[in-house]
Amino acid sequence: MNYECGCDPKLKIHCENVSKTFIQKGNQQVPVIRDVSLDVMENEFLVVCGPGQCGKSTLLKIIAGLEIPDTGFVTLDGQPITGPGPDRGMVFQSYMLFAWKTVRDNVELGLKLRNIPANERHEIAQHYINMVGLQGFENHYPHQLSGGMKQRVGIARAYANAPTVMLLDEPFGQLDAQTRMFMQKETARIWEQEKRTVIFVTNNIDEALFLADRIVLMEGKLPGTVKTEYVVDLPRPRDHISEALLRLRKEITDNTELVL
Ligand SMILES: Nc1ncnc2c1ncn2[C@@H]1O[C@H](COP(=O)(O)OP(=O)(O)OP(=O)(O)O)[C@@H](O)[C@H]1O
Ligand SMILES: [Mg+2]
């Protein structure tokens, strides 16, 4: 793992035996995740990888405090998570931008809600707009942006609130293959530049291998459970087709039901 100080990694997030059942139409109970236990270290880039509908978003929403687990608990810096907080920035599967707000206003939103003065707000927003490479597009509206650009706005907005944890839920799922690869490189670059604890959800093993310090694999059938973990101890920036990466890819695919 990639720790600058060389000291012992600090536990950032701890999930213990987290389970969640949803009640769906006709009062049907759908157990979605069961007994998920997970530790995430400070500044670690953890990727949760699993096929469609195995409870990945549900797990992330529980860590975000947007869903409450039926059993088990989650702590952040040792404190139980009881709801959403500015310490966690979330980037959703869909872009979730306000169509009537400009790029700048979308990025400033959380800062405005926290009554940060306008000057300071602009400065912070500009820093993150630059970081995601959207300088020059500050006054554009979402409909004037490509998918990749919209997702950058979402990432800048999450960073602008200075969270210590970034929760990204399949952020590049809607992008074409080329833009997706570009955004993966950008994500790795931004993470190197401004280290945070990251939990990144994907169903794509190549994306996981490119980004992760560690990959947690979830089982395909509901309720989702954590199956296996893999440490990706490979130098960055990663090469999608390096021999070591492909060897690990084979090890993972031999051991999983993911359609890869
Ligand atoms: N609020 C909810 N109420 C009822 N059922 C829900 C709710 N949220 C999720 N589910 C159900 O939980 C299951 C898992 O959903 P979840 O979104 O966590 O999976 P996922 O792994 O993120 O899927 P995907 O890869 O498609 O994004 C699905 O069957 C879904 O219908
Ligand atoms: Mg999902």
Side-chain angles (χ1 to χ4, degrees):
M1 270 174 237
N2 209 338
Y3 298 106
E4 275 167 0
C5 64
C7 48
D8 280 348
K10 183 180 154 221
L11 180 63
K12 188 75 183 168
I13 290 175
H14 173 68
C15 302
E16 191 162 314
N17 295 114
V18 170
S19 302
K20 180 80 184 171
T21 294
F22 283 115
I23 312 288
Q24 291 189 346
K25 250 192 188 158
N27 230 5
Q28 193 196 351
Q29 298 210 348
V30 182
V32 174
I33 50 174
R34 183 188 290 156
D35 282 338
V36 171
S37 293
L38 195 62
D39 282 342
V40 191
M41 300 300 163
E42 186 165 47
N43 293 346
E44 184 178 20
F45 200 123
L46 181 89
V47 174
V48 175
C49 190
Q53 308 213 338
C54 69
K56 304 181 297 297
S57 294
T58 302
L59 175 63
L60 213 61
K61 283 182 193 158
I62 289 172
I63 296 169
L66 298 169
E67 294 282 0
I68 299 166
D70 298 329
T71 63
F73 62 90
V74 183
T75 62
L76 171 64
D77 290 330
Q79 300 299 315
I81 287 174
T82 53
D87 46 9
R88 280 149 291 149
M90 181 113 184
V91 179
F92 293 90
Q93 268 178 294
S94 51
Y95 306 123
M96 305 278 274
L97 301 180
F98 292 98
W100 61 91
K101 285 183 185 288
T102 62
V103 166
R104 188 194 308 282
D105 289 345
N106 267 288
V107 174
E108 282 189 15
L109 191 70
L111 302 166
K112 206 168 176 181
L113 291 173
R114 282 168 39 224
N115 295 322
I116 310 277
N119 279 354
E120 205 180 320
R121 229 160 55 209
H122 293 338
E123 205 177 301
I124 296 170
Q126 194 63 53
H127 172 79
Y128 290 104
I129 287 170
N130 295 351
M131 185 179 80
V132 299
L134 283 182
Q135 59 275 32
F137 295 92
E138 292 83 352
N139 297 318
H140 280 56
Y141 288 88
H143 76 272
Q144 299 171 306
L145 305 175
S146 70
M149 290 161 93
K150 283 185 218 174
Q151 204 51 281
R152 283 159 185 262
V153 179
I155 292 169
R157 180 176 59 190
Y159 266 95
N161 290 311
T164 57
V165 178
M166 288 285 285
L167 304 171
L168 297 111
D169 190 1
E170 297 201 51
F172 311 140
Q174 297 188 43
L175 305 180
D176 62 87
Q178 218 176 341
T179 313
R180 186 171 188 155
M181 249 195 216
F182 177 72
M183 288 300 290
Q184 289 165 10
K185 281 190 188 147
E186 285 292 281
T187 304
R189 175 187 66 79
I190 291 167
W191 178 75
E192 296 274 5
Q193 196 178 316
E194 292 211 18
K195 283 274 163 73
R196 304 286 158 95
T197 307
V198 176
I199 306 180
F200 185 109
V201 163
T202 184
N203 59 16
N204 184 298
I205 190 65
D206 295 306
E207 187 162 85
L209 284 162
F210 189 77
L211 292 170
D213 285 325
R214 187 160 53 102
I215 300 173
V216 165
L217 276 188
M218 284 182 77
E219 275 278 11
K221 293 182 202 86
L222 290 180
T225 51
V226 167
K227 197 180 179 194
T228 354
E229 288 189 11
Y230 295 89
V231 172
V232 189
D233 193 10
L234 299 173
R236 295 172 185 272
R238 302 247 165 94
D239 176 358
H240 273 295
I241 52 165
S242 78
E243 211 176 293
L245 192 139
L246 291 175
R247 211 176 306 122
L248 182 56
R249 189 186 195 284
K250 178 160 175 26
E251 191 187 329
I252 295 174
T253 51
D254 283 350
N255 187 29
T256 170
E257 300 153 11
L258 275 175
V259 181
L260 301 158

